[in-house]
C-alpha cells in the first residue's frame, strides 16, 4: 500500500539545534565533532525530538565558527569527514529522526575559491559573483555598517575596489543578481539532498537581495556607519529568488523536507509571504522581534531590561499574523542568543528550574514549530563573564575593541556583553559532573559554565521532575495533541506584567496555558468555563489534577496547561 505523506509533517515536529563545536568532543581536541554527536543520538531520541539541525560543519577558516564557508561540499577536519557525516546521517534516520543542514549562502568565506577568483582581477569571470564597488570620494561606497562593527566594505588594494560584507570582512556577500550564483547555490543544495539530508536552515536568507543602487542608510549622529536594514532586508527580488530556489531544488523530488529561513528584521507581513504555501518559498521563518525587545535596536549590547508586556505583545502579534496563512518557528534560544532562563527567566537557585520550565511551557504551547537549542532542555544558564578576555566571539571582541578605541564606557560595555554575548550560548554542553562536564578530555575551546557540577544531563535524566523531563513532556504533548498544532490562539490578560496566559481552541476542545512569570504568588480569575478542566502539565509539585474554582492560585513561576471541552461547563 502506498503511504500518503503529509506535506506539512513539520507542523507537529520539534527541532533540536546542535552547535557542533560545543556539543560533544570525541577526538580529544577540545572542540566538538561529528563522532561526538553520533555518540549522543540516543539522548536526543529519548528527549523525543524529530529533527536535528546542525550549525555549519563545512570546511571553513572558522572566522565566525563555520558561518564563513570555504568549501560547501566537504566537512571541516575539525568536525570529521564526509564518511563520518554519512554514518551520522544514517544513524539519525535509523532512529527515526531527520537532519537539516545550515546553509550559509548570503556570503561565503573570503577563502572560498569563488572569492579568491573574484578578487584576482576586475575582469575575472567571477568578479560579478560578489558585490564590488568603486570608492566614493576616496572612501567607502556608502555608509553601511557591518553587523560585527565598522564599515560593511573592505578595500582590496590589488584591484582598487571595495567589496561588501554585511558580517565580517572574511564573509564577503554573494551577488544574487547573478544567475550563475543562484545556480551554484541550487547545485549545493541538490548535492546535499542527494546525500540524504532532509532540508535546510538558511542563514540570513532575507538579506540576499540588496536595494538597487545600494543607497546610504539614514544617518545616525555619532555613527559613521549604520546597519542599513532598509538596504538589504526583504529586498526587491528576494521572493523571486526563493521561489526559484525551491522550484529548482525540490520540484519533483520525493521525500519529506523542511526549509527554515533565518530572517533578522523580517516583518509579519513579509513572513506571511515567505511562508504562504501557495507561493512555494519556505516552510517557516525565524523572526527576531521577540529577541530584540530588551536591548537597543542600534546597539544590541545596550541592554535595557525586560518589559514582559512588550515581550508578550510581540509573540502574540506573530501568532495572529500567521494564523491563517504561513507558519511560525518558535524559539527562545540559539547559538546567537543568551540563555533564556537567565534572560527572561530567573536563574537564582530557588527559581531556576521552575522558570526554565515555565518559559518552555509558554513557548511550546504556541502555534508553530518549536526549536530547542542544545542545553536549553537542561535549563543551561548564561556564563558568569568577569572580563573582556573571556569573550571569544568576534562580534563581542570587535564591539569591545571599538568601545575602547572610541573612549566609550568599558564597564557598561562589559555589562552588556555579559548579558547579551553569543558566547553565553556557546559554552560546552553539560553532560555530567566529571571533568569538563563530560564534553571533552582536553581543554575545551570555551570554558565550561562552572555550574556543571549540579546542572548536567546525568543529574536530570534520573529525576522525574527535571527540566529535561519537562521538555520531554512538552514534546510528547506536541506529538499527541493536534490542538497544539491546529488550535486557534487567543491571548488573555495582555496587559498583565506578570501573568502570561492564552488559550488554544478547536471546535471541540480548548487548552489554557498560563504562567506566573515572577517570584510573587498571584491569584488569577479565569472564569467558570475552566472549572473541571484537567491539568495536562504543570511545573510544580502538588498542583491538583483538576481545577475546581473560577480562579487559580499560582505560586512564583507556576506554569500550567489545562484541557477542557469547548462549550462545556461541568458543574461540581
Ligand atoms: O546570524 C544573523 C544575525 O543577524 C544575528 O543573529 C547575528 O548573530 C548577530 O548577533 C547580529 O548582531 C546568522 C548566524 O546565526 C550567525 O551565527 C552568523 O554570525 C551570521 O548569520 C553570519 O553568518
Amino acid at each position: 500500500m502506498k503511504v500518503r505523506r503529509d506535506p506539512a509533517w513539520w507542523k507537529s515536529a520539534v527541532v533540536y539545534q546542535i552547535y557542533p563545536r560545543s556539543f560533544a568532543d570525541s577526538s580529544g581536541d577540545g572542540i566538538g565533532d561529528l563522532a561526538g554527536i553520533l555518540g549522543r543520538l540516543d539522548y536526543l531520541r529519548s528527549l523525543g525530538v524529530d529533527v536535528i539541525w546542525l550549525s555549519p560543519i563545512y570546511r571553513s577558516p572558522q572566522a565566525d565558527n563555520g558561518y564563513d564557508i570555504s568549501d560547501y561540499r566537504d566537512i571541516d577536519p575539525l568536525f570529521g569527514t564526509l564518511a563520518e557525516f554519512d554514518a551520522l546521517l544514517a544513524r539519525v534516520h535509523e532512529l527515526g529522526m531527520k537532519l537539516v543542514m545550515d546553509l550559509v549562502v548570503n556570503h561565503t568565506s573570503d577563502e572560498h575559491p569563488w572569492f579568491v577568483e573574484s578578487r584576482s582581477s576586475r575582469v575575472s569571470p567571477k568578479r560579478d559573483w560578489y558585490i564590488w564597488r568603486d570608492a566614493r570620494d576616496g572612501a567607502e561606497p556608502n555608509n553601511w555598517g557591518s553587523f560585527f562593527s565598522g564599515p560593511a566594505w573592505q578595500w582590496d588594494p590589488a584591484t582598487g575596489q571595495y567589496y561588501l560584507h554585511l558580517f565580517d570582512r572574511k564573509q564577503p556577500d554573494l551577488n544574487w543578481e547573478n544567475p550563475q550564483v543562484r545556480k551554484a547555490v541550487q547545485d549545493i543544495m541538490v548535492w546535499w539532498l542527494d546525500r540524504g539530508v532532509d532540508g535546510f536552515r538558511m542563514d540570513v536568507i532575507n538579506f540576499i537581495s540588496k536595494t538597487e543602487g545600494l543607497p546610504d542608510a539614514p544617518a545616525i549622529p555619532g555613527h559613521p556607519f549604520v546597519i542599513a536594514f532598509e538596504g538589504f532586508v526583504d529586498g526587491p527580488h528576494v521572493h523571486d529568488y526563493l521561489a526559484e530556489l525551491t522550484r529548482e531544488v525540490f520540484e519533483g523530488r520525493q521525500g519529506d523536507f523542511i526549509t527554515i529561513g533565518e530572517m533578522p528584521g523580517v516583518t509579519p507581513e513579509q513572513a506571511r509571504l515567505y511562508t504562504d504555501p501557495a507561493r512555494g518559498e519556505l516552510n517557516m521563518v525565524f523572526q527576531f522581534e521577540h529577541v530584540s525587545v530588551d536591548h537597543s535596536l542600534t546597539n544590541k549590547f545596550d541592554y535595557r531590561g525586560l518589559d514582559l508586556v512588550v515581550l508578550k505583545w510581540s509573540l502574540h502579534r506573530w501568532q495572529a499574523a500567521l494564523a491563517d496563512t504561513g507558519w511560525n518557528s518558535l524559539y527562545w534560544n540559539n547559538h546567537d542568543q543568551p540563555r533564556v532562563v537567565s534572560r527572561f527567566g530567573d536563574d537564582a537557585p530557588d527559581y531556576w528550574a521552575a522558570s526554565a520550565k515555565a518559559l518552555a511551557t509558554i513557548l511550546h504551547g504556541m502555534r508553530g514549530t518549536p526549536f530547542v537549542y542544545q542545553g536549553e532542555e537542561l535549563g543551561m544558564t548564561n556564563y558568569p563573564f568577569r572580563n573582556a578576555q573571556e569573550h571569544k566571539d568576534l562580534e563581542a571582541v570587535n564591539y569591545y575593541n571599538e568601545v575602547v578605541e572610541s573612549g566609550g564606557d568599558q564597564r557598561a560595555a562589559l555589562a552588556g556583553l555579559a548579558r547579551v554575548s553569543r558566547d553565553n550560548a556557546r559554552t560546552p554542553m553539560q553532560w555530567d559532573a566529571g571533568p569538563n562536564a563530560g564534553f571533552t578530555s582536553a581543554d575545551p575551546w570555551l570554558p565550561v559554565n562552572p555550574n556543571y557540577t549540579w546542572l548536567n544531563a546525568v543529574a536530570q535524566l534520573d529525576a522525574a521532575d527535571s527540566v529535561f523531563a519537562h521538555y520531554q513532556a512538552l514534546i510528547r504533548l506536541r506529538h499527541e495533541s493536534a490542538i497544539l498544532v491546529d488550535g486557534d490562539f487567543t491571548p488573555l490578560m495582555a496587559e498583565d506584567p506578570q501573568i502570561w496566559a492564552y488559550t488554544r481552541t478547536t471546535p471541540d476542545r480548548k487548552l489554557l496555558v498560563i504562567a506566573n512569570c515572577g517570584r510573587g504568588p498571584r491569584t488569577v480569575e479565569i472564569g467558570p468555563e475552566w472549572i473541571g478542566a484537567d491539568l495536562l502539565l504543570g511545573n510544580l509539585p502538588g498542583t491538583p489534577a483538576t481545577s475546581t474554582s473560577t480562579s487559580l492560585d499560582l505560586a512564583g513561576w507556576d506554569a500550567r496547561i489545562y484541557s477542557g471541552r469547548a462549550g462545556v461547563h461541568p458543574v461540581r
Side-chain angles (χ1 to χ4, degrees):
M1 195 183 86
K2 209 159 174 243
V3 181
R4 209 184 137 268
R5 289 204 171 99
D6 179 357
W9 61 271
W10 35 263
K11 287 192 173 177
S12 56
V14 178
V15 184
Y16 188 90
Q17 182 192 353
I18 291 183
Y19 196 63
R21 173 174 274 275
S22 303
F23 192 64
D25 172 25
S26 74
S27 66
D29 63 355
I31 297 175
D33 47 44
L34 296 183
I37 298 172
L38 183 69
R40 298 289 182 176
L41 288 181
D42 290 337
Y43 169 85
L44 298 181
R45 190 67 222 125
S46 78
L47 180 59
V49 295
D50 307 275
V51 180
I52 296 170
W53 148 33
L54 294 183
S55 271
I57 49 172
Y58 317 89
R59 199 173 270 273
S60 158
Q62 303 289 328
D64 187 19
N65 291 354
Y67 284 88
D68 49 318
I69 297 167
S70 56
D71 185 350
Y72 289 94
R73 291 181 173 82
D74 202 1
I75 305 295
D76 196 278
L78 275 181
F79 300 123
T81 62
L82 276 171
E84 283 172 307
F85 176 83
D86 291 339
L88 175 67
L89 181 61
R91 185 71 188 136
V92 167
H93 286 162
E94 262 169 39
L95 290 173
M97 296 184 286
K98 295 180 185 293
L99 192 132
V100 162
M101 296 295 275
D102 208 318
L103 189 74
V104 188
V105 287
N106 170 70
H107 43 268
T108 68
S109 164
D110 65 337
E111 297 181 36
H112 193 291
W114 297 341
F115 188 73
V116 173
E117 169 67 44
S118 182
R119 84 185 318 172
S120 68
S121 126
R122 284 199 190 206
V123 295
S124 150
K126 292 231 164 36
R127 187 65 169 182
D128 186 49
W129 280 43
Y130 293 84
I131 301 173
W132 292 95
R133 291 291 183 276
D134 291 331
R136 180 176 70 178
D137 306 329
E140 285 77 7
N142 67 21
N143 71 346
W144 291 11
S146 150
F147 279 94
F148 297 151
S149 302
W153 295 97
Q154 177 67 27
W155 176 248
D156 181 58
T159 55
Q161 282 191 312
Y162 284 92
Y163 66 83
L164 179 72
H165 60 89
L166 295 181
F167 293 91
D168 190 60
R169 64 172 66 95
K170 285 188 68 61
Q171 294 168 298
D173 281 54
L174 282 163
N175 176 20
W176 277 68
E177 286 183 20
N178 184 327
Q180 293 175 349
V181 167
R182 306 203 296 273
K183 175 73 170 64
V185 170
Q186 293 159 16
D187 289 348
I188 291 166
M189 295 172 78
V190 167
W191 191 87
W192 283 100
L193 290 170
D194 286 348
R195 227 179 169 89
V197 307
D198 303 292
F200 302 94
R201 173 269 188 190
M202 303 181 194
D203 194 67
V204 292
I205 202 68
N206 64 330
F207 289 7
I208 56 178
S209 171
K210 275 69 172 173
T211 304
E212 190 84 31
L214 309 183
D216 274 331
I220 302 180
H223 294 266
F225 301 103
V226 292
I227 297 180
F229 280 102
E230 316 68 4
F232 50 81
V233 168
D234 306 330
H237 307 296
V238 63
H239 292 288
D240 295 339
Y241 294 162
L242 288 176
E244 177 192 64
L245 201 67
T246 299
R247 204 174 49 242
E248 295 296 323
V249 172
F250 290 102
E251 213 170 65
R253 186 172 272 276
Q254 290 298 308
D256 295 334
F257 304 111
I258 179 171
T259 55
I260 309 139
E262 189 215 23
M263 300 200 171
V266 70
T267 60
E269 295 69 31
Q270 284 289 331
R272 196 160 40 211
L273 299 179
Y274 286 119
T275 62
D276 176 353
R279 297 172 58 95
E281 297 180 33
L282 299 173
N283 296 149
M284 61 189 83
V285 304
F286 287 132
Q287 56 88 14
F288 276 64
E289 191 178 80
H290 69 296
V291 289
S292 310
V293 294
D294 55 353
H295 54 77
S296 137
L297 284 181
T298 48
N299 172 7
K300 72 180 251 190
F301 297 113
D302 179 7
Y303 178 77
R304 300 278 169 87
L306 175 65
D307 180 337
L308 192 79
V309 174
V310 176
L311 179 62
K312 292 196 296 183
W313 166 83
S314 170
L315 279 167
H316 294 175
R317 89 179 183 118
W318 279 84
Q319 289 287 300
L322 301 186
D324 302 324
T325 307
W327 194 247
N328 276 297
S329 303
L330 305 169
Y331 75 96
W332 287 132
N333 271 122
N334 57 46
H335 63 294
D336 295 332
Q337 300 296 331
R339 292 286 182 177
V340 70
V341 65
S342 302
R343 183 183 197 173
F344 299 147
D346 186 338
D347 61 12
D350 286 352
Y351 301 96
W352 159 75
S355 70
K357 293 176 196 173
L359 288 167
T361 307
I362 290 160
L363 194 79
H364 286 246
M366 289 186 181
R367 190 155 184 272
T369 298
F371 283 66
V372 180
Y373 174 67
Q374 66 183 46
E376 180 186 337
E377 75 282 10
L378 303 174
M380 275 178 64
T381 66
N382 275 356
Y383 184 83
F385 290 104
R386 285 150 314 190
N387 57 54
Q389 290 68 41
E390 285 175 322
H391 294 277
K392 297 280 179 285
D393 178 29
L394 84 173
E395 181 184 45
V397 172
N398 292 356
Y399 172 71
Y400 187 73
N401 289 343
E402 193 176 71
V403 169
V404 172
E405 280 159 26
S406 63
D409 184 342
Q410 296 178 31
R411 262 173 101 88
L414 278 181
L417 282 174
R419 281 207 171 263
V420 186
S421 161
R422 305 194 298 182
D423 283 340
N424 280 305
R426 300 176 180 185
T427 62
M429 181 74 178
Q430 295 169 205
W431 293 107
D432 58 44
N436 302 316
F439 163 69
T440 179
S441 56
D443 272 348
W445 73 277
L446 201 60
V448 175
N449 192 311
N451 61 19
Y452 78 92
T453 50
W454 58 268
L455 198 173
N456 61 63
V458 164
Q460 295 195 23
L461 286 172
D462 295 335
D465 64 348
S466 64
V467 179
F468 182 88
H470 195 78
Y471 270 86
Q472 266 180 329
L474 285 168
I475 294 167
R476 203 178 312 123
L477 264 187
R478 169 78 37 175
H479 293 152
E480 289 169 359
S481 315
I483 189 171
L484 279 177
V485 179
D486 302 323
D488 289 341
F489 177 93
T490 310
L492 304 174
M493 307 172 71
E495 299 303 322
D496 193 297
Q498 190 175 339
I499 300 298
W500 199 326
Y502 56 84
T503 58
R504 303 290 310 275
T505 49
T506 54
D508 59 347
R509 236 189 125 184
K510 58 184 181 182
L511 295 182
L512 170 68
V513 179
I514 185 163
N516 177 2
C517 298
R519 293 183 177 186
R522 281 282 303 271
T523 297
V524 182
E525 197 58 40
I526 52 168
E529 60 174 312
W530 293 99
I531 292 181
D534 297 323
L535 182 73
L536 270 189
L537 187 66
N539 69 337
L540 298 178
T543 307
T546 311
S547 83
T548 51
S549 148
T550 60
S551 65
L552 296 177
D553 293 324
L554 299 175
W557 288 104
D558 203 335
R560 307 177 187 181
I561 303 180
Y562 284 103
S563 169
R565 274 191 289 146
V568 177
H569 301 180
V571 184
R572 297 250 151 183

